[in-house]
Amino acid sequence: PQVYSSLGMVFESMLTEVEGGGAEQGENETEENSQLNHIQRRLELAQKAYASYHIASLLCKRDFVLWERSGDAALKGAQIYSEIIDHMANNPMASWGVSEEAVSTEDTTTRKGFDPNAGPEKWHSDRKLWLEHALAAYQSSDNLRPPGVDVPCKLAQVHMSLGSYIDALSILTDLRNMAGGNSLGGKNGSVRELGRSEMEGSYPCWLLYADLMMKIGYECKHWNE
């Protein structure tokens, strides 16, 4: 598992470096093709990071950190697809400057995972798949009862992204109750406790809870109307 974990860290570092550098335009390359290559490179690195961490997690199933990193890598893939969808919502397909014939004739290994001509329906489907991978990884990590609130909050956030507001509410409500000094039964009858300082000091967790309440309120209002 150490080898695959190290590979995951390398790919993760490369992804951060690529994202920080932005899309570099080659001498004979259009701006659209430069953006396309940049997106594809990011997706490729995210996929490799996820695959590496996922294999490491399977080889060391009791390590919640590996499962969490696997979920982080999968969530990064979903975020990239969200950027693609947002970009194409404000730009026509022609902005890529890539024809279907050109895409079909390229090496499938270099274009695997993203087709600029696939359309929003396929991109939404791919984004959902990445989110489901992240959900499974975070759930495996949370089952190991990691300390702190980071993993449960990440799990709740993915549930929200998938529209499972009730599951997210259950997780965040449990965290809130534990922050209030209550103990909840854990796996195999164990008792899981959370210090007040851990929850009360986690502003992102409270903001996530507030965001969830707003989403549920909006859905209730929309249903009533």
Side-chain angles (χ1 to χ4, degrees):
Q2 290 85 355
V3 174
Y4 289 103
S5 177
S6 298
L7 279 174
M9 294 177 65
V10 170
F11 290 131
E12 191 175 22
S13 177
M14 291 173 65
L15 176 58
T16 301
E17 183 178 350
V18 168
E19 290 182 330
E24 297 182 359
Q25 186 172 342
E27 183 177 352
N28 298 321
E29 189 178 33
T30 65
E31 180 179 354
E32 293 78 12
N33 280 336
S34 175
Q35 293 177 351
L36 179 59
N37 290 333
H38 186 247
I39 289 173
Q40 178 58 36
R41 180 59 174 163
R42 291 170 63 199
L43 281 172
E44 178 186 359
L45 291 173
Q47 184 175 14
K48 288 182 177 180
Y50 167 73
S52 299
Y53 282 134
H54 186 65
I55 294 175
S57 302
L58 293 175
L59 293 174
C60 191
K61 296 182 178 181
R62 302 297 299 175
D63 191 334
F64 72 88
V65 174
L66 291 177
W67 286 114
E68 182 182 5
R69 289 178 176 175
S70 177
D72 291 344
L75 188 59
K76 173 59 69 173
Q79 291 171 349
I80 295 173
Y81 269 103
S82 294
E83 293 177 19
I84 294 170
I85 294 169
D86 291 340
H87 172 77
M88 295 309 296
N90 300 318
N91 295 274
M93 180 61 69
S95 66
W96 289 117
V98 182
S99 65
E100 294 185 3
E101 292 78 7
V103 173
S104 62
T105 56
E106 289 188 25
D107 185 358
T108 56
T109 60
T110 62
R111 290 297 172 198
K112 184 178 180 180
F114 177 64
D115 180 0
N117 294 308
E121 184 176 350
K122 178 64 166 62
W123 299 332
H124 278 286
S125 177
D126 289 340
R127 175 180 177 273
K128 182 179 179 182
L129 182 61
W130 277 107
L131 286 173
E132 289 173 348
H133 287 320
L135 180 67
Y138 286 143
Q139 185 65 67
S140 296
S141 180
D142 189 58
N143 289 341
L144 297 174
R145 302 302 177 189
V149 298
D150 289 345
V151 173
C153 284
K154 290 178 179 180
L155 179 60
Q157 184 178 22
V158 175
H159 273 303
M160 290 171 60
S161 298
L162 288 169
S164 302
Y165 295 154
I166 299 303
D167 292 325
L169 179 62
S170 176
I171 294 170
L172 295 178
T173 300
D174 286 349
L175 290 180
R176 188 190 64 179
N177 291 337
M178 285 187 283
N182 298 324
S183 298
L184 298 179
K187 190 176 182 181
N188 299 325
S190 63
V191 177
R192 185 180 183 185
E193 297 181 349
L194 185 68
R196 289 181 64 88
S197 61
E198 286 186 81
M199 180 64 179
E200 291 184 348
S202 179
Y203 301 111
C205 189
W206 286 111
L207 289 173
L208 183 65
Y209 185 80
D211 185 37
L212 175 60
M213 292 296 99
M214 292 181 64
K215 290 181 182 295
I216 293 177
Y218 172 80
E219 292 296 333
C220 291
K221 180 181 179 181
H222 182 71
W223 177 264
N224 290 333
E225 293 176 351

